[in-house]
Amino acid sequence: MRRPTDSSDRPSRLSIFLRRQKRLLRPLLLVLVLLGLGVGCVTAFRHFGSDPRFAPLRGRIINMLPLRITEIDVTGCVLTSEPSLQQALGVRTGDFILGFSVAAARERIDALPFVDHSVVERHLPGTIIIHLFERRPFAVWQNHGHFMLIDREGNQVRDQGMTGKDAEAFMQLPLVVGPDANTAAAALIDELSAQPEVRSHVVAASRVGQRRWNLTLRNGTTVLLPEGQEVAALKRLAQLQENIKILDRPVIAIDMRLPDRLIVREAPPAPNDNTDRDRGDTPPQADPTGDQDPSAPWLSSPQTGPRRRRA
């Protein structure tokens, strides 16, 4: 015989639900506890990492960690100095390799004066590889009194003030002068390189009228090259140097602008030399090419009365 049941003894719906979901609530509470512990650890770690009072302790902990940098391999480094590269890299042998930021190091290295771009790699357990692609200075460009290094395309190569070791290297580079000499320099320098006997005498090349070149030799002689005919003129000049050593002679200018003749201007006679006047030499006429070049004032100054010799 069943006893009558009291409705007040029945469990509530909430208690029944909680009993049914007990297996799910326990993992959920565990996740919440772990999440709280993780947030606390991160907060404490940030405080620990930024507080200078804990710097010695941080250093000891890092030194106890494995995966140290054992090798730094660098390729393509010619003009970039080792101290500047080391400073931009930001780590040394023995540092913790996992604390090394590849992206940050690459950004700092790319900002160095002679670096066009770089490739930085981290190879575990302890190797860092750096490939440098430098912008090689091709010449020194003088424009409006300012000197700057340029690459083969005529773009400026950032320098460190052209002092010290860098300046010694830059003194070996050819000097080009003029508004567009930077973009036209590569073709001329290549043509000069094909005539090494001529190039060894050249110290500077000046762009005239943005269309042709004047060469300045070590002895002060100016060579006036024809427009668009530099290759033929340099070959002819090399032949004359081989035959009569024309580049070693103490002359003021060698005019090669006319294809059928070579005009050489010698130094003017001394004030007490009356040879030219006694011989009745006539002053030179106006420049037959119509190129009134400021580097050759004798072409437009007939009163100076220099002698011309046709070779």
Side-chain angles (χ1 to χ4, degrees):
M1 182 176 181
R2 294 183 179 180
R3 298 174 57 184
T5 58
D6 189 358
S7 60
S8 61
D9 294 337
R10 292 182 179 179
S12 64
R13 293 183 179 180
L14 178 61
S15 62
I16 295 175
F17 175 79
L18 293 177
R19 288 177 185 177
R20 292 178 178 176
Q21 303 298 326
K22 185 181 296 185
R23 293 181 180 180
L24 297 177
L25 289 176
R26 287 177 181 176
L28 180 61
L29 291 175
L30 181 60
V31 170
L32 292 176
V33 171
L34 293 177
L35 183 60
L37 291 175
V39 172
C41 291
V42 170
T43 304
F45 180 77
R46 287 183 177 178
H47 180 71
F48 175 77
S50 60
D51 195 333
R53 294 176 299 175
F54 298 107
L57 181 58
R58 288 197 304 269
R60 293 193 190 97
I61 294 175
I62 291 176
N63 290 332
M64 294 172 60
L65 294 174
L67 300 177
R68 322 299 300 179
I69 297 176
T70 59
E71 182 181 1
I72 299 176
D73 187 11
V74 180
T75 59
C77 183
V78 177
L79 299 171
T80 303
S81 64
E82 183 177 348
S84 61
L85 179 60
Q86 181 67 59
Q87 183 179 3
L89 183 61
V91 292
R92 298 177 180 272
T93 303
D95 291 347
F96 183 45
I97 194 170
L98 294 181
F100 169 66
S101 174
V102 173
R106 182 171 58 246
E107 183 177 353
R108 291 191 299 267
I109 292 174
D110 289 348
L112 294 176
F114 299 115
V115 177
D116 182 73
H117 66 280
S118 63
V119 176
V120 182
E121 301 174 351
R122 173 174 52 197
H123 292 192
L124 296 177
T127 303
I128 293 177
I129 299 178
I130 305 170
H131 301 281
L132 294 184
F133 297 88
E134 295 181 330
R135 297 182 62 184
R136 303 290 183 87
F138 185 71
V140 179
W141 178 33
Q142 178 185 353
N143 188 32
H144 301 295
H146 299 284
F147 293 84
M148 66 183 68
L149 298 176
I150 57 174
D151 59 16
R152 186 175 181 84
E153 287 71 31
N155 301 315
Q156 182 179 1
V157 176
R158 293 170 294 174
D159 59 76
Q160 297 174 338
M162 298 179 68
T163 59
K165 181 180 178 180
D166 292 338
E168 296 177 6
F170 300 157
M171 294 298 292
Q172 313 266 338
L173 297 173
L175 173 66
V176 294
V177 184
D180 70 335
N182 59 322
T183 56
L188 176 68
I189 294 175
D190 288 345
E191 293 162 4
L192 282 171
S193 299
Q195 307 297 335
E197 186 61 28
V198 176
R199 180 170 182 172
S200 63
H201 288 76
V202 177
V203 294
S206 302
R207 192 74 168 155
V208 180
Q210 300 183 352
R211 57 187 179 85
R212 67 170 196 85
W213 293 95
N214 281 354
L215 304 180
T216 301
L217 307 185
R218 297 186 184 279
N219 60 4
T221 301
T222 300
V223 179
L224 289 74
L225 297 179
E227 178 182 356
Q229 300 295 324
E230 292 86 358
V231 175
L234 291 174
K235 289 181 178 179
R236 183 184 179 193
L237 197 61
Q239 188 65 37
L240 290 171
Q241 173 64 12
E242 181 180 355
N243 295 337
I244 62 175
K245 301 297 181 183
I246 190 171
L247 301 180
D248 298 321
R249 297 188 176 188
V251 298
I252 295 178
I254 302 173
D255 191 348
M256 307 184 70
R257 291 174 294 175
L258 297 177
D260 60 340
R261 68 189 66 183
L262 180 75
I263 302 175
V264 178
R265 182 193 176 195
E266 296 178 337
N272 58 352
D273 188 358
N274 297 324
T275 305
D276 292 343
R277 183 168 52 190
D278 294 341
R279 195 167 56 240
D281 287 354
T282 58
Q285 302 300 318
D287 179 13
T289 64
D291 186 2
Q292 300 296 331
D293 186 354
S295 65
W298 53 281
L299 294 176
S300 58
S301 303
Q303 300 301 325
T304 58
R307 294 189 304 160
R308 287 186 176 185
R309 183 173 61 196
R310 183 176 300 175

